[in-house]
Amino acid sequence: EAPAAPPAKAAKVTKKQPATKIFTTDFFKHFWDSEESAPAVEDSVDDEAVRQTEEAVGYQLPASYIALMRSRNGGVPKNTACPTPKGSKTSWANDHVAIESFMGIGCSGDSLSEGVENWIEEWEYPKIGVYFGNCPSAGHDMLALDYSKCGKKGEPRVIHVDQEFDFKKTVLANTFEEFVHKLCPIETFEEGGEDNDMEEEKEERGETQQVYLECASSSGGKFWEGSVAGSATTVRYGKV
């Protein structure tokens, strides 16, 4: 008589782990600058707004970006500087980049969806993902979610793209969540630590912007680029 077959092993049941909370409520209280107004983007971020935005940009947004935008849909953070890797000089500074504001989720105003046409199609920024962070240079450098290595549904890196340096890419963080936690006060860098040549460049940029502010009233306060009459200075940055 053939021996009885061994009893079948019970199927292994994998317990689904509960979703972790990416940011705490206390974190949100200290992240946004309440004195600065948010860009004109839809107030609420529901699942439908996320779906429409992802369809418009062609990429799946990181859960951490969605969570941050649900606390406030775009705007200015309190900490506006992010350190760059050693030796990664940018047109802004030798040791950091600056962020002016985050773009919100939606299809109007200063949103991720609007950025596709503006930054990629008009400004000819490289098509590597989603541009989400405005910098103080009036479009001459940007922050982006870079999907070039992870695919359209993967976890993107955060990079700085520098138009002034032939669209040079500098990796700032491996994830958006990591990037957010790396932000620090701009004063951290303004108090020292940069090379003298970069300090001179920033001082010259400040003089350039002052000339612009004095001469731009006739342009209605719009971004303007060119040489000021009677001056050898080329104005590239700033708005009234």
Side-chain angles (χ1 to χ4, degrees):
E1 183 178 351
K9 292 183 179 180
K12 186 177 180 180
V13 177
T14 303
K15 186 176 180 181
K16 187 176 181 180
Q17 297 296 322
T20 57
K21 196 169 185 179
I22 301 173
F23 301 114
T24 64
T25 303
D26 190 57
F27 173 85
F28 293 138
K29 289 180 181 178
H30 299 286
F31 183 81
W32 297 107
D33 188 341
S34 59
E35 296 181 1
E36 295 287 346
S37 60
V41 180
E42 289 89 344
D43 291 333
S44 61
V45 178
D46 55 19
D47 291 343
E48 180 60 17
V50 173
R51 186 195 66 77
Q52 290 179 356
T53 299
E54 290 181 334
E55 182 178 330
V57 301
Y59 297 90
Q60 180 174 294
L61 298 175
S64 52
Y65 198 94
I66 297 171
L68 186 63
M69 292 304 107
R70 279 180 167 155
S71 73
R72 175 174 172 176
N73 196 16
V76 181
K78 286 184 178 179
N79 295 328
T80 56
C82 181
T84 52
K86 188 175 181 180
S88 299
K89 179 180 178 180
T90 71
S91 62
W92 182 256
N94 283 340
D95 53 4
H96 73 283
V97 296
I99 180 169
E100 189 172 54
S101 64
F102 287 87
M103 299 180 197
I105 291 175
C107 297
S108 63
D110 191 20
S111 67
L112 299 177
S113 301
E114 292 293 306
V116 174
E117 179 179 356
N118 187 28
W119 302 117
I120 296 177
E121 297 179 10
E122 294 184 18
W123 283 68
E124 298 183 345
Y125 271 81
K127 193 173 182 180
I128 44 83
V130 181
Y131 291 88
F132 71 87
N134 297 303
C135 296
S137 63
H140 290 268
D141 60 331
M142 293 290 297
L143 300 180
L145 299 171
D146 176 22
Y147 291 80
S148 60
K149 293 186 178 297
C150 66
K152 293 186 175 183
K153 294 187 177 181
E155 185 70 28
R157 304 179 301 178
V158 172
I159 66 171
H160 174 260
V161 184
D162 203 331
Q163 186 201 45
E164 294 294 298
F165 285 3
D166 196 25
F167 296 108
K168 174 187 174 184
K169 304 177 188 68
T170 300
V171 178
L172 302 177
N174 291 320
T175 66
F176 180 75
E177 184 178 0
E178 178 187 332
F179 167 75
V180 166
H181 287 293
K182 289 179 71 173
L183 292 177
C184 57
I186 195 71
E187 292 79 13
T188 303
F189 301 97
E190 292 180 345
E191 292 175 356
E194 295 190 53
D195 295 340
N196 291 333
D197 60 342
M198 184 59 72
E199 287 292 344
E200 292 174 1
E201 290 176 21
K202 292 178 74 174
E203 183 177 347
E204 181 179 350
R205 182 182 298 175
E207 293 173 355
T208 300
Q209 186 154 323
Q210 182 59 39
V211 173
Y212 165 76
L213 291 172
E214 293 172 355
C215 301
S217 59
S218 62
S219 70
K222 298 179 180 179
F223 296 128
W224 183 84
E225 183 169 348
S227 297
V228 178
S231 171
T233 303
T234 298
V235 178
R236 293 181 300 175
Y237 302 97
K239 64 178 179 178
V240 176

